[in-house]
Amino acid sequence: MYSTAPLVVLGLGANLGDPVGQLREAVRRLRELLRVEAISSLYRTAPVGYAEQPDFYNLVCLARSALEPAALLAETQRIEREMGRERSFRNAPRAIDLDILAMGDMVVDAAGLTLPHPRLHERGFVLVPLAEIAPGWRHPILRRTAAELLADAGELERVERIQAFD
Ligand code: PH2
Ligand code: MG
Ligand code: MG
């Protein structure tokens, strides 16, 4: 048992419909599920991977949860489903995407969930908001902080801060 529930890092993204409204609704639902401790600013970001799609709106959320990784994944997938997420192809546009990026210093390699997220250190839409709210957060495998990962990441996609989220 943890005396304090592990720190969960969640990445949220949307680029269909009313992306900002959907991010607000997703955060509202996350607050029912776990103890949200910090939310980054809202960012508008160029799509990574499949480029022929609208810009994304992204943010990162820090929370505490005693749920096991598989249980938390089931809950985040339920929220995605309830919010009308349709799964088509990898990196496709989406109404809402809730990614578990890390849970404490857990290292998990299971079907459907890899922790920490294998590409988080390459993505501006994760590193910029994460370094904003938790510059000293340390990657459980790379042992580098969010600020160090951002400084070392080289050229990243366009990431534009829009506004404080709440
Ligand atoms: N999510 C992806 C693929 N590409 N690009 C940006 N800018 N933001 C995202 O959230 C994102 C992406 C897969 O989930
Ligand atoms: Mg994603
Ligand atoms: Mg996802």
Side-chain angles (χ1 to χ4, degrees):
M1 279 297 286
Y2 285 86
S3 52
T4 314
L7 186 69
V8 181
V9 183
L10 293 157
L12 282 69
N15 73 341
L16 284 184
D18 169 15
V20 178
Q22 282 140 213
L23 290 171
R24 289 200 188 286
E25 175 64 15
V27 167
R28 194 188 66 70
R29 290 172 185 240
L30 285 174
R31 287 188 193 281
E32 295 175 347
L33 183 67
L34 25 74
R35 192 145 42 85
V36 172
E37 292 196 337
I39 301 177
S40 74
S41 299
L42 177 67
Y43 292 84
R44 179 175 174 147
T45 67
V48 171
Y50 177 64
E52 299 303 310
Q53 58 177 322
D55 278 355
F56 277 81
Y57 289 82
N58 284 111
L59 58 83
V60 163
C61 172
L62 299 183
R64 300 273 173 188
S65 174
L67 290 175
E68 296 295 327
L72 182 57
L73 178 66
E75 293 293 330
T76 56
Q77 289 181 337
R78 176 183 55 77
I79 294 173
E80 288 178 338
R81 219 171 30 245
E82 289 175 359
M83 290 186 60
R85 164 84 176 267
E86 288 177 10
R87 293 192 175 265
S88 49
F89 57 92
R90 188 180 163 99
N91 290 341
R94 65 272 317 270
I96 192 67
D97 182 32
L98 296 179
D99 288 338
I100 306 171
L101 302 173
M103 293 182 74
D105 55 12
M106 291 182 213
V107 175
V108 174
D109 198 353
L113 185 64
T114 304
L115 296 178
H117 190 291
R119 290 172 299 282
L120 81 84
H121 58 287
E122 300 168 353
R123 293 179 157 184
F125 67 81
V126 170
L127 291 177
V128 173
L130 182 58
E132 175 197 345
I133 54 174
W137 174 85
R138 195 171 288 278
H139 191 291
I141 296 173
L142 301 175
R143 304 305 305 163
R144 312 274 288 156
T145 67
E148 290 167 344
L149 291 172
L150 177 59
D152 292 353
E155 197 173 327
L156 294 167
E157 79 278 11
R158 168 174 44 82
V159 176
E160 178 193 357
R161 181 180 176 277
I162 301 294
Q163 63 190 51
F165 188 68
D166 48 12

